[in-house]
């Protein structure tokens, strides 16, 4: 089974957008989920954010940034080329998808999207829009040229606030600045959903804890198998060991140990690091990835 690429474009420097034919995945897909792809049978498995899905056309839209050899190879694929594997939808759908619609309509939701994290925020806000719910959205980018999906988001968001770290477009400063500004202007939010780099999610959660706004984050640690077997995506949430690929990717942001998650990301990259993690995590270390000598 091959998964044909129907369309590709470069949204910003090193950030790519692809529409892929994957009927079964598209049929089952819900906001909040992700896919794992392989370009050929020997290549690495790459977990990717779902940016959009079209059940009728049977397509999934993915957005990715070049971060290593695998994504570099992916970026050279063109319309007409195919993926060897396109596994999904993986992970749990966003919690609100299962909530009572009338209760959901009474909640004021704020989405905070950082950089490439704007892509997974889009299907969530679109789903809400399709169900008659208008959510506020903040998109943050380092600079104007790295801003993605602004027009698409404008069509589905209640209010859209764009901010750039360098002030080259929209508001000036990081997303946390805009959250503070909106609250100071009198806005009230019942729930915040933050998706972006770990460091952004850490600081958004620090702020929303002070502001007493329950916050959901979507974690994307290193993943290998995406099925809960390898242990690569281990995180600690509320003092408990969780695996982002099966228990998440969404978690209560106020319970996530971000410092440990960020440290583990770095340590996991080397063979020595993985051996260290095996020793440190003891009986609860999975080792199913085969990378730590277990
Ligand atoms: P980036 O570094 O450009 O950051 C995006 C925005 O996050 C910034 O504009 C800023 O507003 C905010 N931010 C960054 N640091 C902050 C801080 N200390 N305090 C408050 N706000 C802060 O983002 P990028 O380069 O596009 O991000 C790439 C990263 O995002 C990669 O690590 C990738 O793995 C991750 N990512 C995560 C998801 C997910 O599901 N969580 C999805 C796609 C990408
Ligand atoms: Fe989650 Fe392997 S990627 S356990």
């Amino acid at each position: 089974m091959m998964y044909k690429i129907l369309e590709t474009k470069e949204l910003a420097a090193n950030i790519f957008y692809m529409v892929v034919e994957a009927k079964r995945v598209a049929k089952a897909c819900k906001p909040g989920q992700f896919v794992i792809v392989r370009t050929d049978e020997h290549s690495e498995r790459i977990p990717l954010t779902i940016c959009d899905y079209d059940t009728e056309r049977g397509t999934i839209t993915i957005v990715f940034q070049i971060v290593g050899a695998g994504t570099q190879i992916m970026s050279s694929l063109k319309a007409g080329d195919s993926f060897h594997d396109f596994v999904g939808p993986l992970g749990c759908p966003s919690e609100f998808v299962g909530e009572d619609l009338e209760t959901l309509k009474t909640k004021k939701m704020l989405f905070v999207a950082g950089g490439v994290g704007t892509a997974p925020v889009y299907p969530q806000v679109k789903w809400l829009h399709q169900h008659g719910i208008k959510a506020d959205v903040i998109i943050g980018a380092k600079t104007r040229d790295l801003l993605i999906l602004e027009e698409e988001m404008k069509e589905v968001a209640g209010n859209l606030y764009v901010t750039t770290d360098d002030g080259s477009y929209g508001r000036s400063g990081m997303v946390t600045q805009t959250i503070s500004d909106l609250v100071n202007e009198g806005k009230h939010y019942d729930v915040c959903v933050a998706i972006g780099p770990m460091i952004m999610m850490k600081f958004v959660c620090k702020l929303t804890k002070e502001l007493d706004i329950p916050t959901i984050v979507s974690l994307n640690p290193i993943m290998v198998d995406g099925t809960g077997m390898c242990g690569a995506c281990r995180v600690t949430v509320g003092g408990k060991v969780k695996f982002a690929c099966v228990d998440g990717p969404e978690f209560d942001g106020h319970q996530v140990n971000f410092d440990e998650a960020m440290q583990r990301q770095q340590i996991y990259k080397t063979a020595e690091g993985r051996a260290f993690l095996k020793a440190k995590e003891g009986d609860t270390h999975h080792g199913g990835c085969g990378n730590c000598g277990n």
Side-chain angles (χ1 to χ4, degrees):
M1 176 91 197
M2 297 294 269
Y3 301 87
K4 197 166 162 191
I5 299 166
L6 304 180
E7 189 188 333
T8 70
K9 63 182 168 192
E10 193 168 358
L11 292 180
N14 293 330
I15 305 174
F16 291 83
Y17 168 104
M18 278 183 187
V19 180
V20 183
E21 196 173 64
K23 288 196 173 62
R24 200 191 48 79
V25 185
K27 209 169 177 182
C29 190
K30 298 238 164 50
Q33 295 184 294
F34 66 96
V35 288
I36 290 190
V37 308
R38 280 199 306 171
T39 45
D40 64 63
E41 58 184 322
H42 305 295
S43 63
E44 65 175 298
R45 300 158 64 90
I46 308 170
L48 292 175
T49 282
I50 295 174
C51 172
D52 204 358
Y53 51 91
D54 186 327
T55 316
E56 277 167 33
R57 248 181 112 202
T59 58
I60 295 278
T61 304
I62 50 175
V63 167
F64 63 91
Q65 188 174 32
I66 299 180
V67 288
T71 41
Q72 177 79 54
I73 293 166
M74 265 181 66
S75 70
S76 66
L77 297 176
K78 300 273 172 284
D81 291 339
S82 295
F83 283 101
H84 183 272
D85 277 348
F86 202 88
V87 182
L90 297 168
C92 307
S94 304
E95 210 173 82
F96 65 75
V97 172
E99 256 184 72
D100 172 62
L101 210 52
E102 292 313 310
T103 314
L104 198 57
K105 280 180 181 166
T106 64
K107 288 187 184 170
K108 194 74 199 136
M109 295 180 81
L110 173 67
F111 285 81
V112 183
V116 189
T118 307
V121 166
Y122 177 70
Q124 302 200 20
V125 180
K126 183 178 170 186
W127 187 96
L128 290 166
H129 173 76
Q130 286 170 338
H131 289 80
I133 299 161
K134 289 193 174 91
D136 280 3
V137 180
I138 300 171
I139 301 182
K142 280 196 196 85
T143 185
R144 181 181 194 148
D145 293 345
L146 290 175
L147 182 66
I148 59 167
L149 304 169
E150 183 190 8
E151 287 309 313
E152 290 83 348
M153 199 69 93
K154 209 179 263 170
E155 279 178 25
V156 293
N159 296 295
L160 177 64
Y161 307 93
V162 176
T163 181
T164 49
D165 299 5
D166 64 0
S168 54
Y169 185 69
R171 296 173 173 235
S172 179
M174 297 201 177
V175 290
T176 37
Q177 183 62 51
T178 300
I179 301 174
S180 297
D181 291 347
L182 293 178
V183 170
N184 288 336
E185 285 161 23
K187 288 259 188 186
H188 167 83
Y189 295 106
D190 298 301
V191 57
C192 169
V193 177
I195 310 183
M198 285 272 196
I199 189 78
M200 177 202 97
M201 296 190 281
K202 172 184 164 170
F203 283 102
V204 167
C205 287
K206 190 167 174 279
L207 175 63
T208 57
K209 209 167 183 173
E210 286 162 18
L211 296 171
D212 207 17
I213 307 171
T215 299
I216 293 160
V217 295
S218 179
L219 300 183
N220 70 328
I222 293 169
M223 290 192 191
V224 180
D225 67 344
T227 63
M229 298 300 289
C230 73
C233 67
R234 175 188 173 120
V235 287
T236 306
V237 184
K240 294 201 176 74
V241 172
K242 299 280 178 190
F243 296 96
C245 69
V246 286
D247 299 320
E250 293 185 356
F251 293 102
D252 174 348
H254 295 166
Q255 301 286 325
V256 172
N257 186 336
F258 286 105
D259 291 335
E260 183 199 69
M262 286 187 281
Q263 248 174 23
R264 197 179 190 278
Q265 296 261 88
Q266 287 308 314
I267 299 172
Y268 196 88
K269 284 181 184 159
T270 64
E272 263 173 300
R274 291 189 292 271
F276 168 79
L277 288 172
K278 182 186 168 191
K280 180 174 166 236
E281 293 168 358
D283 289 347
T284 63
H285 184 76
H286 258 262
C289 63
N291 281 335
C292 59
N294 224 2

